[in-house]
């Protein structure tokens, strides 16, 4: 009697793509909410600081102070790791399925965003680590005062720290390509697979990516130009 091991559905290609989809949705929802929160800096220092402190108190008194933030960070970390892990396994399987390179390989038009998903993910990951150390823990922030989030943002993107804004811009533009490709793939999966549907999906994905990246870039450029000080 031969006993065959069955692969867990989540480890199948379909399962891994589902993991990427679910984790991607979680991360995109966070990005949208985080961007909207960042834009409160234009309402003034008092309002922005109140918002930042309110985030630490979500769930109280049911939860101790800052517990909601740590739960959120745990979920986001799991989503990031799941997203990267699923993408890596799928990429390795795709490569293993074509172990021999063709001598005369047909040239295929590959979308720029799709070709840069891997290294783009590395840049985004490095940016997230820096961003946390800068504006969350304050270790890399010139001011690093947890009681004054507004001042930390202004100090972090000060004109003399132009290289921080440059890195921030590079990471967000990379994120934009990543989002455009991901959103386009999601729209296609929802049935936009006719030529007209694909055009709509491309436009919708581009608008979404530009809007999100633009919303994030408003803050550092407002600080570096003196609009927010």
């Amino acid at each position: 009697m031969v006993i065959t091991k069955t692969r867990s559905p989540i480890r199948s290609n379909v399962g891994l793509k589902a993991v990427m989809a679910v984790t991607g949705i979680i991360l995109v929802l966070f990005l949208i909410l985080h961007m909207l929160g960042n834009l409160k800096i234009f309402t003034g220092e008092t309002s922005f600081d109140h918002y930042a402190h309110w985030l630490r108190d979500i769930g109280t008194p049911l939860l101790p102070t800052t517990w909601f933030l740590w739960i959120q960070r745990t979920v986001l970390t799991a989503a990031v790791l799941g997203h990267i892990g699923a993408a890596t396994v799928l990429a390795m399987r795709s490569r293993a399925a074509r172990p021999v390179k063709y001598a005369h390989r047909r040239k295929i038009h590959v979308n720029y965003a799709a070709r840069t998903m891997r290294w783009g993910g590395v840049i985004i990951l490095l940016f997230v680590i820096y961003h946390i150390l800068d504006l969350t823990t304050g270790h890399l922030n010139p001011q690093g005062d947890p009681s004054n989030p507004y001042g930390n943002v202004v100090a972090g993107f000060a004109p003399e720290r132009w290289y921080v804004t440059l890195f921030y811009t590079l990471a967000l533009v990379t994120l934009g390509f990543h989002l455009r490709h991901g959103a386009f793939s999601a729209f296609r999966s929802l049935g936009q697979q006719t030529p007209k549907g694909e055009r709509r999906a491309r436009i919708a994905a581009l608008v979404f990516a530009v809007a999100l990246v633009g919303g994030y870039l408003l803050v550092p450029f407002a600080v570096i130009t003196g609009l927010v000080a």
Side-chain angles (χ1 to χ4, degrees), residues 7-204:
R7 177 184 291 177
S8 170
I10 201 172
R11 294 183 180 180
S12 67
N13 285 353
V14 173
L16 289 172
K17 288 179 180 179
V19 170
M20 286 195 68
V22 173
T23 55
I25 290 172
I26 292 173
L27 295 171
V28 167
L29 289 176
F30 168 76
L31 287 171
I32 293 173
L33 293 175
H34 189 50
M35 179 200 70
L36 295 174
N38 286 352
L39 293 178
K40 285 189 69 66
I41 200 167
F42 294 103
T43 62
E45 182 172 359
T46 300
S47 178
F48 184 77
D49 283 351
H50 181 270
Y51 161 73
H53 292 304
W54 169 76
L55 289 176
R56 302 172 187 173
D57 295 331
I58 294 178
T60 57
L62 181 63
L63 296 173
T65 303
T66 75
W67 269 43
F68 175 82
L69 282 180
W70 282 108
I71 292 173
Q72 180 190 77
R73 290 164 185 165
T74 301
V75 171
L76 290 174
T77 299
V80 169
L81 294 177
H83 200 73
I84 294 174
T88 301
V89 173
L90 286 170
M92 292 174 64
R93 288 180 182 176
S94 177
R95 184 179 301 174
R98 298 190 303 272
V100 180
K101 294 183 178 180
Y102 296 102
H104 301 286
R105 188 176 180 181
R106 181 172 59 91
K107 291 185 178 180
I108 302 175
H109 175 72
V110 183
N111 184 275
Y112 180 78
R115 289 190 286 112
T116 58
M117 287 291 274
R118 294 174 191 171
W119 63 259
V122 174
I123 291 177
I124 294 168
L125 180 61
L126 292 175
F127 164 72
V128 169
I129 293 172
Y130 176 84
H131 192 59
I132 290 173
L133 292 174
D134 181 23
L135 294 176
T136 301
T137 67
H139 286 86
L140 298 180
N141 189 274
Q143 178 171 285
D145 181 2
S147 66
N148 185 207
Y150 182 96
N152 292 339
V153 173
V154 173
F157 294 115
E160 61 271 17
R161 284 167 56 86
W162 57 269
Y163 49 89
V164 174
T165 300
L166 179 62
F167 178 47
Y168 193 87
T169 302
L170 172 63
L172 283 170
V173 170
T174 303
L175 175 64
F177 282 115
H178 202 87
L179 287 171
R180 187 186 67 170
H181 177 72
F184 172 67
S185 299
F187 290 143
R188 286 199 67 200
S189 299
L190 293 175
Q192 298 293 337
Q193 297 183 11
T194 63
K196 187 175 182 180
E198 284 201 6
R199 286 195 297 272
R200 290 176 177 174
R202 289 186 187 281
I203 293 173

